[in-house]
């Protein structure tokens, strides 16, 4: 095994410079609040859950709690305690079963963004409301000719989408190619933004931001700030990029 050539290490930037923000909640986590030391850490990827024999059964537990963001313990929303939630790897023709457990204080639900599946019943039905303390069993049937590609999941409960999405509830869905592209490795990169108070909780949102669209002070890749990744010369990578930085 050759050693990694550090000069080929790539720095992954966010969607631009991270602004220092003086928000409604006072001091926010930003470049000046002790974050420098957490930049450039080795890229981590969300847990991978893969279908087998045409089926994937997962449990997603939505909760407010301690979660690692930008290398520090923060208090935010997450699926299964990580930000982003696990990546679901599927193939065309698969059956996906998701038990969504709601451990939040508010109703929620689940939307599988972009998947070509039924919008009714216990499939991708955004009218489903999963009340706090209850769970719901979703069932999705992917057609045999489902387009391969990058999709994602997040809550779609009317009136609560922005708060729950911005708070940390999202994850990637990859529909794999029947004939895959030859690469050295694939990576899943989920880009998102979030604003946290100095104490590490989700910052309050001003009414204007709610109307005009909010933009987080921290731009994250897989929950990290400018993570570093390295590749050897002549290696070929395929990056699966989800933009979960909704402006809503
Ligand atoms: Cu969506």
């Amino acid at each position: 095994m050759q050693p990694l050539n550090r000069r080929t290490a790539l720095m992954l930037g966010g969607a631009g410079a991270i602004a220092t923000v003086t928000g409604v909640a006072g001091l926010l986590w930003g470049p000046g609040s002790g974050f420098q030391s957490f930049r450039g850490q080795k890229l981590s990827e969300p847990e991978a859950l893969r279908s087998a024999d045409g089926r994937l059964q997962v449990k997603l537990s939505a909760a407010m709690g301690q979660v690692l963001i930008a290398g520090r313990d923060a208090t935010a929303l997450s699926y299964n305690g990580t930000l982003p939630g696990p990546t679901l790897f599927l193939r065309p023709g698969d059956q996906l079963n998701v038990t969504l457990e709601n451990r939040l204080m508010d109703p929620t639900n689940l939307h599988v963004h972009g998947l070509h599946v039924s919008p009714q019943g216990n499939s991708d039905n955004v009218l489903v409301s999963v009340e706090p303390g209850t769970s719901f069993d979703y069932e999705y049937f992917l057609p045999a000719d489902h387009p391969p590609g990058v999709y994602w999941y997040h809550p779609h409960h009317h009136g609560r989408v922005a708060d729950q999405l911005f708070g940390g509830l999202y994850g990637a869905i990859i529909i794999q190619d029947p004939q895959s592209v030859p690469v050295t490795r694939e990576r899943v990169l989920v880009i998102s933004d979030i604003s946290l108070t100095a104490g590490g909780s989700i910052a309050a949102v001003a009414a204007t931001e709610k109307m005009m669209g909010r933009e987080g002070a921290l731009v994250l890749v897989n929950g990290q700030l400018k993570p570093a990744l390295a590749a050897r010369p002549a290696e070929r990578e395929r990056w699966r990029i989800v933009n979960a930085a909704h402006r809503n």
Side-chain angles (χ1 to χ4, degrees):
M1 291 260 288
Q2 286 182 322
L4 287 179
N5 183 346
R6 291 290 162 193
R7 283 172 302 179
T8 60
L10 302 172
M11 290 297 288
L12 261 186
I18 298 167
T20 304
V21 175
T22 314
V24 286
L27 185 66
L28 298 177
W29 279 11
S33 58
F35 261 99
Q36 256 77 348
S37 55
F38 296 104
R39 288 177 179 221
Q41 291 190 332
K42 190 168 176 282
L43 178 84
S44 69
E45 288 184 67
E47 181 190 10
L49 302 175
R50 299 172 188 278
S51 68
D53 300 324
R55 196 147 181 263
L56 177 64
Q57 165 109 47
V58 302
K59 181 176 173 184
L60 293 178
S61 183
M64 168 76 83
Q66 201 178 67
V67 59
L68 198 63
I69 300 179
R72 285 176 53 170
D73 284 329
T75 305
L77 306 183
S78 71
Y79 289 118
N80 297 1
T82 66
L83 186 150
T87 302
L88 313 183
F89 286 87
L90 301 164
R91 295 180 183 283
D94 278 354
Q95 177 182 343
L96 168 65
N97 288 82
V98 178
T99 297
L100 176 68
E101 182 184 52
N102 184 1
R103 291 165 57 204
L104 307 169
M105 304 295 280
D106 298 305
T108 188
N109 64 12
L110 193 71
H111 174 47
V112 284
H113 189 120
L115 288 193
H116 296 208
V117 293
S118 165
Q120 297 176 328
N122 63 344
S123 184
D124 190 30
N125 185 349
V126 296
L127 300 178
V128 165
S129 182
V130 185
E131 301 306 310
T134 70
S135 61
F136 187 82
D137 292 323
Y138 286 95
E139 189 166 55
Y140 311 92
F141 296 95
L142 275 61
D145 61 351
H146 195 291
V150 181
Y151 304 87
W152 61 302
Y153 60 87
H154 62 84
H156 207 302
H157 196 286
H158 184 70
R160 305 190 191 274
V161 180
D163 284 339
Q164 294 186 354
L165 184 59
F166 196 74
L169 294 177
Y170 42 79
I173 300 173
I174 307 297
I175 309 294
Q176 293 178 285
D177 306 61
Q179 283 135 7
S180 60
V181 182
V183 290
T184 311
R185 71 183 67 81
E186 281 195 3
R187 299 186 196 265
V188 174
L189 307 174
V190 181
I191 297 169
S192 65
D193 61 336
I194 197 167
S195 294
L196 298 168
T197 66
S201 353
I202 300 166
V205 180
T208 48
E209 279 187 292
K210 284 197 173 177
M211 285 168 59
M212 306 302 289
R214 61 187 75 177
E215 194 170 341
L218 302 173
V219 178
L220 306 171
V221 179
N222 292 351
Q224 299 174 292
L225 266 186
K226 294 196 175 179
L229 55 87
R232 297 189 183 96
E235 282 186 340
R236 206 144 69 121
E237 298 201 352
R238 185 177 193 186
W239 292 3
R240 310 278 210 167
I241 301 173
V242 173
N243 179 9
H246 264 208
R247 289 277 216 107
N248 52 18

